[in-house]
Amino acid sequence: MPKIITVAHQKGGVGKSTLALNLAACFIGQLNIALVDIDPQGSISGLKELFPDITIITEDQFSQIQALDYDVVIVDTPPYLSARLPELFQISDYVLVPTKAGFFDVMAIKGTLELINQAQQLQPGLKAGIVLNMVKHRSGINSEVTELLKSMEAPTLKTVIHDRVSFARSPINGGVLTSEDKKAKEEITSLAGEIVEAIK
């Protein structure tokens, strides 16, 4: 049975697909990895030719996720509270919740965190974490956002993913690990490391 990492947030535009894709790329050569795209927009499904080393699986195989013959399965979810999320969270080992660093962005994850909390009551082994994503350079995270994050039921990860051109271009350039952007590589590998540490 694979380890299942789900990337979820009820709001669009927070970089879920980009994170899912680059996280999957981090495990190439180390683990047998699959990326499942259950977002009806199919953002990742259209990239199979650009990422030949990652098995990309579409929504029609959703019911078979637990039976997939891979070490790690990363799931990219729709930008809304899909009826499938409760079921998906219950079979996941880790739920990653990306958010931008604004007050209203952080407020918007409450519905997702409530679903995670409900799933943890049924599956206590489920881990979850919030990652600040697409953070603007030289923009500090204000105290209100910091305090709000502290009050959330899921921990905020140490890794911060900044708003970098290399991340924006990564879906068509084979991922940030193939780029020359050292800081972007450090950020995504740090994020992958935190998740692995939580679920190993």
Side-chain angles (χ1 to χ4, degrees):
M1 183 181 297
K3 293 289 187 183
I4 299 173
I5 300 168
T6 298
V7 185
H9 189 306
Q10 69 222 55
K11 190 169 178 285
V14 296
K16 290 192 304 293
S17 298
T18 300
L19 280 184
L21 194 61
N22 281 288
L23 279 173
C26 284
F27 298 112
I28 293 174
Q30 303 171 57
L31 297 168
N32 194 11
I33 182 84
L35 186 52
V36 178
D37 185 3
I38 65 167
D39 183 349
Q41 295 177 31
S43 303
I44 288 177
S45 300
L47 300 175
K48 289 183 179 182
E49 293 181 5
L50 296 173
F51 290 84
D53 295 325
I54 299 175
T55 301
I56 298 177
I57 296 168
T58 51
E59 185 180 12
D60 56 352
Q61 290 181 273
F62 174 80
S63 61
Q64 303 167 11
I65 288 176
Q66 284 183 290
L68 293 173
D69 189 20
Y70 293 92
D71 299 313
V72 176
V73 172
I74 297 175
V75 184
D76 183 34
T77 60
Y80 50 83
L81 291 179
S82 163
R84 284 184 166 173
L85 286 184
E87 176 188 355
L88 180 56
F89 288 174
Q90 287 176 38
I91 64 170
S92 295
D93 295 279
Y94 194 94
V95 179
L96 179 68
V97 185
T99 182
K100 293 181 181 178
F103 181 79
F104 291 111
D105 296 294
V106 174
M107 285 291 291
I109 64 178
K110 285 192 171 184
T112 304
L113 294 179
E114 285 173 9
L115 290 180
I116 293 170
N117 186 43
Q118 291 168 16
Q120 286 174 325
Q121 292 176 30
L122 298 170
Q123 206 264 86
L126 172 63
K127 306 290 185 184
I130 301 165
V131 62
L132 288 167
N133 192 34
M134 303 168 74
V135 175
K136 300 290 184 186
H137 295 280
R138 298 189 179 90
S139 65
I141 301 167
N142 66 43
S143 58
E144 288 87 355
V145 169
T146 303
E147 288 305 310
L148 185 57
L149 285 166
K150 285 180 182 177
S151 73
M152 297 291 183
E153 293 168 347
T156 304
L157 301 181
K158 293 178 182 176
T159 304
V160 173
I161 307 293
H162 287 87
D163 187 16
R164 302 181 186 281
V165 173
S166 54
F167 278 112
R169 292 180 177 169
S170 64
I172 58 171
N173 289 344
V176 294
L177 294 181
T178 65
S179 75
E180 300 297 319
D181 191 335
K182 182 180 177 182
K183 290 184 177 179
K185 292 178 185 179
E186 289 173 351
E187 289 174 1
I188 199 66
T189 54
S190 174
L191 178 60
E194 282 198 74
I195 294 170
V196 169
E197 187 65 27
I199 63 177
K200 73 178 183 180

